Amino acid sequence: MRQKGTIGWLKHDITHRGVTAWALSAALFAFYVILYWTDWLDPVAQALHLGSKWTLYGLLYTIAITAGGIYVMRKYRHNKYQIVRTTVIIFVQATLAFSVPLILKFFNQPEVYLSYLWPLKIEYFYPSTIASWPLPFIIWSIAGSLLMVPLLATFFGKRWYCSWVCGCGGLANTAGDPFRQLSNKSSAAWKFEQYSIHITMLLSFVVTAAVVASFFIGDSSPMLQSAAGEMQSAYGFVVVAILSGIVGVGVYPIGGTRVWCRYFCPMAAVLGLVQKKGKYRITVKDNMCISCGLCSKYCEMGIDVRAYAQRNEDFTRASCVGCGLCEEVCPRGVLHLENSDKPRSGPQPLTIDALVDESWKDRHVSPHAEEKQESVISVNWN
Amino acid sequence: MHFVIIGNGVAGIEAAFAIRDRLGPGEAKITVISDETDYFFSRTALMYAYMDKLDRRDLEPYERKVYAQKQIELVRGRVVDLDAAEASLRLQDGSTVAYDRLLLAVGAKPRMVPFAGLDEVEEGLVHFVSMQDLDECERLTWSTERAVVVGGGLIGVELVESLTHHGVEVTFLVREPWFWPAALGKEEAEIVAEHIREHGVDLRMEEEMSEIQVDDAGRVSGVRTNLGDEIPCQMLGVAIGVQANVEWLQGVSTPPAINRGVMVDRSFRTTLPNVWAAGDCVEVDVGRRPGLVETIWYSAKRHGKLAGLSMAGERVEYHPPLFYNSTKFFELEFTTVGDCVDVADGATTLFRKMPGKPISQRIVANERGEVIGFNMLGSRFDHRVLEQWIHDRRDLAWVQRHLQEAQFDVEFGRVPLSKMVEKEIA
């Protein structure tokens, strides 16, 4: 019996929700519980002269992104978009998300992660945080969240952040790459995502507003002050610790890499809303799709890309992070990520049912045919 | 009215959706009968399932609940008789199905020739067009060290790639002097051949299988070629083309007119009343002889939609678009538009090649200098733009200047067209 090369990596236990996948998931969960709620990692960090467990975590995260990034760059070496994007991910992680905060701390400055912005880092809009910062950081943070994010998203979609800069996306697109196909592609998951991500976004707004309000008028309203405090810690526990940390990374081997980004990230929600109105879209080559489904399979956000491709429809989905893997795996080169002002083809927006509804009456009647012979549907794609 | 569709391939399902698009459940009951699978799947993706890049379920282009939502009934069964006088079908299990309007979307099956030794073969000979073929290939791969694939077409190279992926040593026998002369010119065929060989495939041109050898159990044990070479193998893939799956139709109570496929007019009507046909199983009468047989995915999809509309009462007139097709040879993507091979005398061909890389473009112009065909290898082009240029009768020099407008490569990854080396071929 032959063995070599017979097990494809898709069918491998660890990337196919096998026993090792569940074990890895459990180990990741355990790691995050230990990291967040014990001080067991502090001695390890000190032994490595890293100061705190958080610095150790940052180092591990940076190593994972760098090693995973090298793997991904080799894997997709013929694809320039992937090379450039992955290089930027590694660079941003190694500098803005790791060494810059360390250097700041060394010079007794506040430990600011310049690659993260509100509402992903909700505390960056808390007055108590801002009060401890020097002015340039305050300007960067506020202008970044309120101006740069929507402006860049208008021109480039959410990808400039979600799959070029953000550390959560960075880990997903590097070390997480072997798990990307595990995302849930069902229309039910899409429905759930539309609720969950916008609910989290609204929560982040409400909590921020409450905390800011309590800072200014809290003295005269003890009830607001205590409510804001409780909301702040509840949000920190549920959204930041559980959803972005434990669930976000812990379920990689079971539910794919972008569970946090897709269902919960408030920043992704804001970017997505802007993206829908902006210039970014995925263009589909007409009548070239063979419905193979590789695009949908390897979409980490669980978008059924094939549903659009096979009905020749350019599209922009709020959740699309522009990683470009659908474009990479398409065996017929049907898909193209682009920022463009050209009008989109096909009806927008789509409902789930519309994905299989094709109104041929209006769309494919050739004008020349009508001149010659009324009511004859003459299909000539030339 | 009861619409019955035989075949749940792309033509059959597109037809079912097109009918439902026009007629609600109160007006049309739609039944799709297939003996291959329960649900429509993408036949073109079989190789990705074989290569473990997709699971079986991923091959299904629509969520299963869609059929229930659209009230399209899927029946698993094999139709063995068609009686147009009675407007009824008989299935293998003995049941009968009455129809008001019938669509034959029964596809194509692998072409086969009586190779010497074929009668002895019990196991080890595979094709690669059906779900059952995929099952068979997967079952045999485990006990295969070497395989021989016969036939230098698209399915052949897909099978070769899949086997190579599983670590099987493959000998690829191609009868023609260069690879896939039906679409490729000699120059790009050489690039493709080199690329296939780089993956460890023993690609042999102008060599044919002359005899199949089997072991005591009837399993393929080797093949002999017309050059007298003996190649031991445990799997033999035969991919020498497909032909309309119409043999069974010749024996039914009321056979429709059949030539190379079921004869249909431009509205996909057969010679039988209330019976339509579409997809790989048809020959369309387009006013010349022989009629049009298009056994490619894109055509079947189009046929299905139009046949469905025709059945739903629309007046349909099919005018096949300018020919185009696409494929992938291992990592090399290929798009062809218009006429690039077998062109009339007086045509000029511009062949552009990227030095040191498997990237090339062939642009063919007729004797008046108007562009009539493109073969794009190793980089992405938008075939719709190229089609438009042919339609607009652009001249070669104009196309040369504007070629980058049709590029479809990934961002940052545009092939630098100015670095390509050009030569004219008379």
Side-chain angles (χ1 to χ4, degrees):
Chain A
M1 289 292 267
R2 53 172 304 98
Q3 293 289 330
K4 71 172 168 170
T6 43
I7 296 177
W9 65 267
L10 178 65
K11 293 277 164 65
H12 195 284
D13 195 59
I14 201 164
T15 51
H16 211 68
R17 298 194 183 102
V19 179
T20 42
W22 285 95
L24 177 61
S25 188
L28 287 166
F29 269 85
F31 170 79
Y32 276 94
V33 170
I34 290 167
L35 175 71
Y36 283 134
W37 292 294
T38 75
D39 44 20
W40 300 353
L41 290 173
D42 280 322
V44 184
Q46 273 144 23
L48 296 166
H49 304 285
L50 288 171
S52 79
K53 63 181 181 183
W54 297 112
T55 311
L56 173 64
Y57 176 58
L59 180 66
L60 290 175
Y61 206 93
T62 307
I63 290 171
I65 284 187
T66 309
I70 292 166
Y71 158 75
V72 162
M73 282 201 277
R74 277 183 53 85
K75 186 173 174 184
Y76 307 120
R77 57 187 169 274
H78 49 273
N79 185 325
K80 289 264 171 56
Y81 181 75
Q82 299 306 328
I83 302 274
V84 174
R85 190 173 71 86
T86 310
T87 308
V88 173
I89 288 173
I90 296 173
F91 175 77
V92 170
Q93 175 62 31
T95 55
L96 298 184
F98 183 64
S99 44
V100 169
L102 273 189
I103 292 164
L104 287 171
K105 207 162 96 177
F106 183 79
F107 288 106
N108 288 320
Q109 294 292 318
E111 201 179 329
V112 185
Y113 291 79
L114 295 168
S115 58
Y116 290 99
L117 294 160
W118 179 89
L120 176 53
K121 274 261 188 224
I122 191 166
E123 65 268 32
Y124 283 8
F125 267 22
Y126 290 166
S128 55
T129 315
I130 294 172
S132 71
W133 283 2
L135 189 63
F137 291 156
I138 299 173
I139 293 171
W140 169 258
S141 181
I142 291 177
S145 291
L146 301 180
L147 288 176
M148 186 173 71
V149 167
L151 208 62
L152 288 178
T154 307
F155 289 106
F156 306 112
K158 72 203 276 187
R159 55 180 171 159
W160 77 268
Y161 191 74
C162 296
S163 59
W164 287 69
V165 171
C166 177
C168 309
L171 187 68
N173 284 171
T174 53
D177 186 75
F179 303 110
R180 59 163 47 246
Q181 73 283 355
L182 297 170
S183 60
N184 188 331
K185 312 300 190 306
S186 70
S187 49
W190 180 13
K191 224 169 232 174
F192 175 77
E193 153 204 328
Q194 286 170 323
Y195 284 104
S196 64
I197 195 166
H198 294 118
I199 288 170
T200 324
M201 181 187 78
L202 289 177
L203 281 177
S204 75
F205 291 176
V206 170
V207 172
T208 308
V211 172
V212 171
S214 117
F215 179 81
F216 288 110
I217 55 166
D219 291 340
S220 56
S221 167
M223 223 173 76
L224 174 67
Q225 199 160 29
S226 72
E230 274 171 29
M231 283 160 82
Q232 183 181 338
S233 63
Y235 186 90
F237 178 75
V238 176
V239 179
V240 180
I242 305 240
L243 293 178
S244 88
I246 299 188
V247 172
V249 180
V251 299
Y252 267 29
I254 304 303
T257 46
R258 291 269 194 176
V259 169
W260 158 252
C261 315
R262 179 184 179 189
Y263 297 106
F264 306 112
C265 177
M267 178 99 173
V270 174
L271 284 159
L273 292 174
V274 180
Q275 167 161 290
K276 285 288 278 183
K277 303 279 170 212
K279 293 170 69 139
Y280 169 72
R281 97 275 289 280
I282 293 179
T283 305
V284 171
K285 246 195 254 178
D286 272 6
N287 295 305
M288 191 56 103
C289 174
I290 54 169
S291 298
C292 71
L294 284 164
C295 52
S296 297
K297 179 74 173 176
Y298 290 94
C299 177
E300 55 187 345
M301 300 304 281
I303 299 169
D304 190 0
V305 182
R306 165 169 58 186
Y308 301 89
Q310 69 191 358
R311 62 197 300 265
N312 312 317
E313 198 159 313
D314 299 351
F315 69 101
T316 305
R317 273 275 288 273
S319 63
C320 175
V321 290
C323 70
L325 255 291
C326 54
E327 183 186 35
E328 154 67 25
V329 298
C330 176
R332 297 294 186 268
V334 170
L335 304 161
H336 195 246
L337 273 59
E338 59 184 48
N339 314 306
S340 172
D341 282 327
K342 280 185 297 180
R344 290 189 188 121
S345 66
Q348 297 267 343
L350 285 166
T351 63
I352 290 170
D353 206 43
L355 290 179
V356 291
D357 269 337
E358 288 168 336
S359 188
W360 285 81
K361 207 164 211 161
D362 315 317
R363 280 171 60 194
H364 280 299
V365 180
S366 146
H368 307 296
E370 265 179 57
E371 284 162 24
K372 277 184 251 160
Q373 207 171 2
E374 262 186 23
S375 86
V376 171
I377 298 179
S378 170
V379 179
N380 192 332
W381 271 263
N382 288 344
Chain B
M1 200 180 281
H2 190 193
F3 291 80
V4 177
I5 296 166
I6 310 178
N8 70 351
V10 65
I13 292 297
E14 288 290 323
F17 284 170
I19 294 167
R20 180 56 80 227
D21 192 50
R22 293 303 169 87
L23 303 173
E27 299 163 295
K29 180 183 175 210
I30 303 174
T31 306
V32 181
I33 305 172
S34 164
D35 74 331
E36 185 182 15
T37 51
D38 291 334
Y39 293 92
F40 165 51
F41 73 95
S42 171
R43 199 172 298 286
T44 43
L46 278 177
M47 66 177 291
Y48 303 110
Y50 192 10
M51 290 165 71
D52 294 341
K53 291 185 175 188
L54 294 172
D55 290 316
R56 291 295 171 97
R57 190 70 181 260
D58 301 324
L59 300 182
E60 292 171 17
Y62 300 101
E63 283 188 281
R64 291 184 172 182
K65 65 182 180 193
V66 163
Y67 304 102
Q69 280 166 357
K70 293 196 164 290
Q71 300 192 32
I72 293 167
E73 196 191 339
L74 305 176
V75 173
R76 189 80 185 265
R78 184 174 194 83
V79 177
V80 291
D81 194 24
L82 157 61
D83 188 339
E86 295 288 321
S88 82
L89 301 171
R90 189 159 51 78
L91 270 58
Q92 200 160 35
D93 62 11
S95 60
T96 55
V97 177
Y99 64 82
D100 294 300
R101 290 185 178 176
L102 175 71
L103 177 68
L104 303 168
V106 293
K109 58 180 193 175
R111 196 170 77 86
M112 206 46 194
V113 295
F115 293 107
L118 186 62
D119 295 342
E120 314 290 316
V121 178
E122 302 280 337
E123 185 170 85
L125 191 152
V126 295
H127 302 290
F128 198 53
V129 299
S130 70
M131 195 56 101
Q132 286 73 23
D133 293 340
L134 175 62
D135 292 338
E136 184 72 355
C137 285
E138 287 186 337
R139 191 174 64 79
L140 291 168
T141 305
W142 293 88
S143 52
T144 301
E145 284 292 332
R146 281 191 65 89
V148 172
V149 174
V150 179
L154 299 186
I155 298 175
V157 76
E158 289 180 357
L159 188 54
V160 167
E161 182 176 351
S162 306
L163 288 163
T164 308
H165 174 86
H166 286 291
V168 174
E169 304 216 17
V170 184
T171 297
F172 192 9
L173 298 180
V174 177
R175 188 175 57 177
E176 289 81 14
W178 69 76
F179 189 77
W180 202 29
L184 301 181
K186 191 164 188 279
E187 289 78 8
E188 59 260 36
E190 276 166 8
I191 298 172
V192 171
E194 195 187 321
H195 184 71
I196 292 173
R197 289 193 177 112
E198 272 170 18
H199 284 83
V201 177
D202 172 25
L203 171 62
R204 304 186 188 182
M205 311 304 304
E206 294 184 273
E207 196 165 344
E208 287 181 69
M209 178 168 72
S210 60
E211 189 193 338
I212 308 171
Q213 296 155 344
V214 296
D215 63 14
D216 297 338
R219 167 120 185 211
V220 171
S221 63
V223 304
R224 188 198 296 275
T225 74
N226 60 340
L227 303 182
D229 202 5
E230 288 195 15
I231 309 162
C233 65
Q234 297 80 46
M235 248 173 111
L236 168 64
V238 178
I240 52 173
V242 293
Q243 58 196 28
N245 176 25
V246 289
E247 224 176 336
W248 70 281
L249 272 171
Q250 277 151 349
V252 299
S253 301
T254 54
I258 294 168
N259 191 26
R260 285 182 300 156
V262 179
M263 306 274 283
V264 294
D265 62 13
R266 287 188 196 260
S267 65
F268 298 96
R269 279 177 175 274
T270 68
T271 49
L272 297 176
N274 295 322
V275 180
W276 283 255
D280 287 2
C281 68
V282 302
E283 178 176 323
V284 188
D285 179 2
V286 287
R288 56 180 154 81
R289 297 245 157 223
L292 184 71
V293 176
E294 305 172 286
T295 49
I296 53 178
W297 176 265
Y298 309 118
S299 309
K301 192 169 172 177
R302 250 175 226 137
H303 286 192
K305 261 173 189 148
L306 291 171
L309 292 179
S310 177
M311 292 168 76
E314 298 290 342
R315 287 187 59 195
V316 165
E317 195 175 303
Y318 176 53
H319 292 273
L322 191 66
F323 174 76
Y324 70 89
N325 201 358
S326 69
T327 190
K328 199 173 180 186
F329 312 101
F330 288 82
E331 284 91 45
L332 283 186
E333 288 174 32
F334 174 72
T335 306
T336 181
V337 180
D339 299 315
C340 275
V341 290
D342 294 332
V343 287
D345 290 344
T348 39
T349 296
L350 184 69
F351 186 75
R352 302 162 52 92
K353 164 94 175 70
M354 178 69 85
K357 288 196 175 158
I359 298 171
S360 76
Q361 291 128 26
R362 172 182 298 267
I363 309 170
V364 181
N366 63 15
E367 73 282 1
R368 290 187 298 278
E370 299 159 356
V371 170
I372 55 168
F374 296 89
N375 262 0
M376 306 312 215
L377 181 72
S379 73
R380 293 177 175 179
F381 279 84
D382 188 340
H383 66 293
R384 294 302 303 272
V385 178
L386 303 178
E387 272 175 34
Q388 192 61 48
W389 291 348
I390 295 174
H391 192 71
D392 296 346
R393 299 170 189 275
R394 297 288 183 185
D395 64 58
L396 198 54
W398 189 94
V399 167
Q400 249 174 307
R401 283 200 308 277
H402 290 81
L403 202 55
Q404 63 177 33
E405 290 166 22
Q407 277 189 292
F408 211 69
D409 291 313
V410 299
E411 289 163 301
F412 311 115
R414 265 197 175 190
V415 169
L417 292 173
S418 58
K419 289 192 182 156
M420 301 196 71
V421 178
E422 295 187 337
K423 69 169 176 180
E424 275 202 31
I425 305 164

